Amino acid sequence: MTRSSFAPPTADLAHVSVDAAGDVSTTPPSRPHAAVHAARDVPVEELAAKILAGDRSTLARAITLVESKKPEHQAKARALVQVLLPTTGRAHRVGITGVPGVGKSTTIDQLGANLTAAGHKVAVLAVDPSSTRTGGSILGDKTRMERLAVDRNAFIRPSPSSGTLGGVAAKTRETMMLCEAAGFDVILVETVGVGQSETTVAGMVDFFLVLMLPGAGDELQGIKKGVLEIADMIAVNKSDGDNAARARMAASEYRAALNIMAAKSSSWTPPVVLISGLANQGLDAMWGEVETHRTKLEATGEFAERRRVQQVAWMWSMLEERVMQALRHDARVAHRLHDLEHGVRDGKVSASIAVDEIAGLLGI
Ligand SMILES: Nc1nc2c(ncn2[C@@H]2O[C@H](COP(=O)(O)OP(=O)(O)OP(=O)(O)O)[C@@H](O)[C@H]2O)c(=O)[nH]1
Ligand SMILES: [Mg+2]
């Protein structure tokens, strides 16, 4: 057993704490950044071997390394991901989105518990670029997944807490790969359904699930059409008790809305299902659809192709980030960027002339 840092299922959550690596334990938190230092001091090969052996405290420390802003930590994290690359890609990656309060955490907790009971190892990650979470609310997040937080076949990691959406997503991707190397065969990535984060998460998973509330009449208006375009399935959550009839109506409205949209794949029509994350209703059937999707798209080669396309898109988005970062720190343009930006803001320099000058300074 290498899972000593996790509380046993009977632990009283009131005593649970979270260390700098975001790992749950029943002992007081360690020094801030101690985990980064620990991972920094361990050679890449040793980190890799421990992760491959399923050592979850090393996994948590390696993720902290991935999330570190220090260039030397980032370089080491990249080296680690590269070493582990052949052992990644094995998990079924599923993104889950929905408006705040739709029941993402509740559903993931129950679905995850069902999956670990069926023999899976489940990692739950999050992408929330707006997050300014402190240790306290990380704990809050974990306790909202009470079952998974104490399930030794589950691993919960909150969103990296700062940076651009692209930056947060890049870290989540690398974290996903580390989790795969550590033997997790289902990765659930939660993102809140606001802004651009859904599109970003859809770009890193095999299946994208959108949770909706009963009462589509009002809700359809507020839904960005874009989210329906990227959905592989819609699940109307909270379809329990008094909500059942409204949930059925909502489901038929979503079916109609999906019907008039161009299909993403000729081998898959996004289904609309009714679930209750709270009451554990419909979750097995819902997961059955996720597996059917995989079987069908594997048969046509679309499954592997989607991943290939994602890998290349990821390379480009990282390259863009890196190039922009280099540009902002480039000594040749540093002294002009400020003035040019102000000139453009004040309407004294046209944007295209400013770009010409910057490009000229860079020799491109
Ligand atoms: N009746 C009912 N209530 C539910 C269901 N799922 C979640 N809830 C309740 O809805 C509220 C919000 O649930 P969360 O799981 O925290 O929702 P979330 O989407 O993760 O919310 P954010 O993380 O804030 O975006 C809680 O009070 C849940 O108990 C469900 O299936 N049925
Ligand atoms: Mg939540």
Side-chain angles (χ1 to χ4, degrees):
M1 277 310 139
T2 53
R3 301 185 178 105
S4 53
S5 65
F6 262 57
T10 51
D12 177 352
L13 279 171
H15 302 299
V16 169
S17 58
V18 176
D19 65 17
D23 215 355
V24 175
S25 70
T26 49
T27 51
S30 49
R31 264 185 308 126
H33 308 306
V36 173
H37 292 155
R40 185 197 63 197
D41 297 338
V42 179
V44 167
E45 292 70 26
E46 195 179 323
L47 286 175
K50 285 187 168 165
I51 289 170
L52 284 173
D55 180 331
R56 58 194 306 151
S57 69
T58 303
L59 173 63
R61 291 189 173 114
I63 295 171
T64 305
L65 204 59
V66 160
E67 292 175 353
S68 168
K69 287 191 182 67
K70 292 203 171 146
E72 67 269 27
H73 292 172
Q74 289 176 359
K76 185 160 184 183
R78 280 198 294 273
L80 179 62
V81 170
Q82 183 62 36
V83 168
L84 291 170
L85 198 61
T87 59
T88 65
R90 294 169 179 171
H92 202 164
R93 306 164 173 175
V94 176
I96 300 178
T97 195
V99 295
V102 68
K104 296 177 293 297
S105 301
T106 307
T107 302
I108 289 171
D109 190 44
Q110 184 63 61
L111 173 67
N114 297 351
L115 290 168
T116 60
H120 291 286
K121 287 188 73 185
V122 179
V124 179
L125 312 177
V127 171
D128 180 5
S130 65
S131 159
T132 47
R133 287 173 182 174
T134 63
S137 51
I138 288 170
L139 178 60
D141 235 34
K142 292 213 181 197
T143 50
R144 272 192 282 156
M145 298 189 196
E146 282 183 25
R147 267 166 297 223
L148 287 188
V150 294
D151 185 333
R152 58 203 194 92
N153 288 314
F155 181 85
I156 303 175
R157 184 76 183 193
S159 179
S161 62
S162 63
T164 61
L165 175 57
V168 168
K171 288 169 186 187
T172 303
R173 261 180 178 281
E174 291 187 336
T175 296
M176 179 158 82
M177 294 164 88
L178 296 181
C179 289
E180 289 177 337
F184 290 91
D185 66 333
V186 174
I187 314 265
L188 304 176
V189 186
E190 173 181 344
T191 193
V192 69
V194 292
Q196 281 295 303
S197 61
E198 306 101 305
T199 320
T200 305
V201 169
M204 64 170 84
V205 295
D206 304 316
F207 191 95
F208 195 65
L209 168 64
V210 179
L211 298 188
M212 297 283 193
L213 290 165
D218 318 320
E219 222 202 335
L220 258 179
Q221 327 273 327
I223 293 169
K224 287 170 284 174
K225 195 164 154 270
V227 84
L228 294 182
E229 276 164 6
I230 55 175
D232 292 303
M233 172 162 58
I234 288 177
V236 181
N237 189 36
K238 307 197 183 184
S239 58
D240 44 57
D242 293 346
N243 283 330
R246 285 169 63 228
R248 276 194 299 277
M249 270 169 48
S252 51
E253 293 200 32
Y254 291 129
R255 275 186 204 108
L258 284 170
N259 262 337
I260 57 170
M261 297 185 45
K264 258 204 314 185
S265 153
S266 55
S267 35
W268 184 253
T269 307
V272 179
V273 299
L274 297 175
I275 61 163
S276 168
L278 194 63
N280 195 12
Q281 286 166 13
L283 296 185
D284 290 346
M286 180 180 87
W287 190 255
E289 293 284 1
V290 176
E291 290 190 325
T292 304
H293 170 269
R294 181 176 189 148
T295 309
K296 285 193 172 168
L297 271 71
E298 270 178 351
T300 60
E302 285 166 272
F303 194 85
E305 180 59 14
R306 179 167 170 166
R307 284 194 173 185
R308 282 193 287 267
V309 169
Q310 288 176 346
Q311 287 293 113
V312 174
W314 183 30
M315 184 198 83
W316 278 105
S317 87
M318 279 196 296
L319 187 59
E320 278 170 21
E321 284 252 336
R322 188 79 75 86
V323 168
M324 287 308 293
Q325 219 175 19
L327 186 150
R328 289 203 180 87
H329 294 110
D330 192 293
R332 289 169 295 177
V333 296
H335 67 287
R336 285 297 289 148
L337 274 178
H338 180 81
D339 286 351
L340 284 170
E341 193 181 316
H342 275 267
V344 170
R345 182 202 291 255
D346 298 341
K348 293 191 176 119
V349 184
S350 84
S352 55
I353 291 292
V355 170
D356 272 350
E357 183 177 337
I358 295 162
L361 289 167
L362 292 169
I364 51 176

